[in-house]
Amino acid sequence: VDLQEQVQSRLTVDRLLGKLSPPIVRKLIYMKYFLGMTVREIAKETGKSKSYVSKEIIKAEEFMKNCLEED
């Protein structure tokens, strides 16, 4: 992967994360994909239920997928 592709990927990730709201959803996605945390770990860290964390991550993933398909 060359530098231009890396930069483009990073810009795409930043743009998608910026579209997520409320901010807690951005945090959940960041914790899962950038920190490698499990749903259980994220729930414990944020004080949210595992079901809330799981549902919000699934919704965010679908939202981001739809954003990519629109581009």
Side-chain angles (χ1 to χ4, degrees):
V1 178
D2 68 11
L3 182 59
Q4 186 175 4
E5 289 176 1
Q6 287 178 334
V7 169
Q8 188 60 44
S9 293
R10 180 61 195 215
L11 290 173
T12 299
V13 168
D14 287 346
R15 183 176 55 81
L16 289 173
L17 285 174
K19 289 183 174 187
L20 295 175
S21 68
I24 184 68
V25 176
R26 266 194 301 278
K27 183 176 183 177
L28 300 178
I29 292 296
Y30 183 83
M31 293 170 93
K32 179 177 180 183
Y33 288 99
F34 292 89
L35 302 180
M37 296 172 73
T38 66
V39 168
R40 173 176 276 140
E41 292 168 332
I42 295 168
K44 185 176 180 183
E45 181 75 22
T46 60
K48 304 288 186 186
S49 70
K50 287 191 308 184
S51 63
Y52 171 84
V53 170
S54 182
K55 287 176 189 174
E56 290 300 318
I57 287 173
I58 290 168
K59 287 193 315 189
E61 289 168 342
E62 281 296 312
F63 175 78
M64 291 186 294
K65 180 181 168 196
N66 290 336
C67 287
L68 287 174
E69 289 173 353
E70 289 173 3
D71 288 348

